Amino acid sequence: GYIGKPHFAHWHLGHGGVGQRWSEWFYDPRKAGGGALIDLGVHPIYQALYLFGEAREVLGTKVNVYSERIVGDKHLTNIQTEDNAVTVTIFKNDVMSVSDVSFARKKDLSNNAIYGTEGTIVLNSPFASLTVYSTKMSEEWRGWNMPELKLPISPKDQMELFLNLIEEEEGTWRVNGKWARDVLEIVLASYKSAETKRVITLPLRSA
C-alpha cells in the first residue's frame, strides 16, 4: 500500500473519567474487572489485532491518579482502579502497537497513527479525520494529504452487518469469537505484566 509495510502503531484514547452520567460501578474492580485498561483499552487492541494479526508479546503498566471522586451524588474514596494505562503489543509479524488510555484527561486533541516503511496514516487529528503521507506519491501530491472519508454503508446497514457477524459469523476470519477472546487475552496479559514487571509471552498459561 501507500505506506509500505506497517511497523508501528500508536493508539491514544481517554476522557476525564466516569462522572454524573454513569455509575460508580466503573471504580469497583470486583465488578468492572479493572479501570481504564479494561474499559477503554479494548478498543485500540481490537483495531490492532484486526490490522496486524496474531500477537506474540505484551508489556503493560498502569497507575491510579485519583483516589477519590464524586460520581453522581456519591463520594467515592480509596479508589484502586487504574486511571492511566499503557499496553505495548508485539505481533508475530514484528509490528509494535502502543496504546495509551486514560480516565484522567480533561481535554485531548491527540490522535492515532500507523507508521509504515513508506509513509504514515494519522486518524482523527485536530486537522482532519484522515491524514496520509507517502513517499510513493508523485511530487505533486508529496506531503500530507487529507482525503475525504465517506462511510460505504448507512448506519442501518452497518447494524445489520454487525448482527450478521454475530449470527452467521460472516466477514473476515478475524471477526469472530476467537478474535474477541484474543482481545481479552491481551488485556489480561497487560495487567499481568503491570503486576509482575515482566514482558508476557502469549498465549497465557493458567497457573
Side-chain angles (χ1 to χ4, degrees):
Y2 274 105
I3 68 166
K5 181 183 182 297
H7 59 80
F8 186 87
H10 179 215
W11 315 88
H12 187 91
L13 180 63
H15 54 64
V18 179
Q20 297 288 339
R21 294 177 298 166
W22 299 330
S23 166
E24 67 273 12
W25 180 91
F26 282 85
Y27 297 112
D28 185 340
R30 294 171 301 174
K31 295 178 180 179
L37 173 55
I38 199 166
D39 180 57
L40 297 177
V42 295
H43 301 300
I45 289 171
Y46 67 62
Q47 292 178 76
L49 272 173
Y50 183 85
L51 292 171
F52 307 129
E54 294 185 68
R56 185 177 73 226
E57 296 173 333
V58 176
L59 176 65
T61 187
K62 61 185 179 70
V63 295
N64 175 270
V65 178
Y66 299 106
S67 60
E68 297 185 16
R69 283 182 184 265
I70 302 296
V71 179
D73 59 354
K74 295 185 178 180
H75 181 194
L76 305 184
T77 61
N78 193 31
I79 295 173
Q80 300 297 315
T81 52
E82 73 279 357
D83 287 311
N84 290 326
V86 175
T87 300
V88 180
T89 307
I90 308 297
F91 290 84
K92 290 186 176 180
N93 57 9
D94 292 328
V95 174
M96 177 182 289
S97 176
V98 177
S99 62
D100 64 84
V101 294
S102 178
F103 278 171
R105 295 175 187 161
K106 300 305 181 185
K107 292 290 183 180
D108 199 344
L109 288 177
S110 297
N111 48 58
N112 306 319
I114 300 172
Y115 302 88
T117 54
E118 300 291 342
T120 303
I121 296 174
V122 179
L123 303 171
N124 300 321
S125 76
F127 309 106
S129 55
L130 176 66
T131 310
V132 180
Y133 174 84
S134 175
T135 60
K136 291 187 174 182
M137 292 182 178
S138 64
E139 288 294 332
E140 180 183 0
W141 295 100
R142 188 69 56 84
W144 290 103
N145 292 275
M146 302 176 188
E148 182 180 354
L149 283 181
K150 292 183 179 180
L151 287 175
I153 55 178
S154 68
K156 179 178 180 293
D157 291 337
Q158 292 178 57
M159 183 57 67
E160 290 179 355
L161 175 61
F162 175 72
L163 293 175
N164 285 335
L165 289 172
I166 296 174
E167 296 175 354
E168 309 291 343
E169 290 198 0
E170 295 178 355
T172 70
W173 64 271
R174 296 189 183 97
V175 183
N176 51 36
K178 180 182 182 302
W179 178 54
R181 178 200 171 279
D182 291 344
V183 172
L184 183 58
E185 183 177 49
I186 292 176
V187 170
L188 295 177
S190 185
Y191 277 119
K192 185 175 181 180
S193 175
E195 293 166 0
T196 62
K197 312 300 182 185
R198 298 173 55 189
V199 175
I200 304 301
T201 300
L202 300 178
L204 289 176
R205 298 284 193 270
S206 58

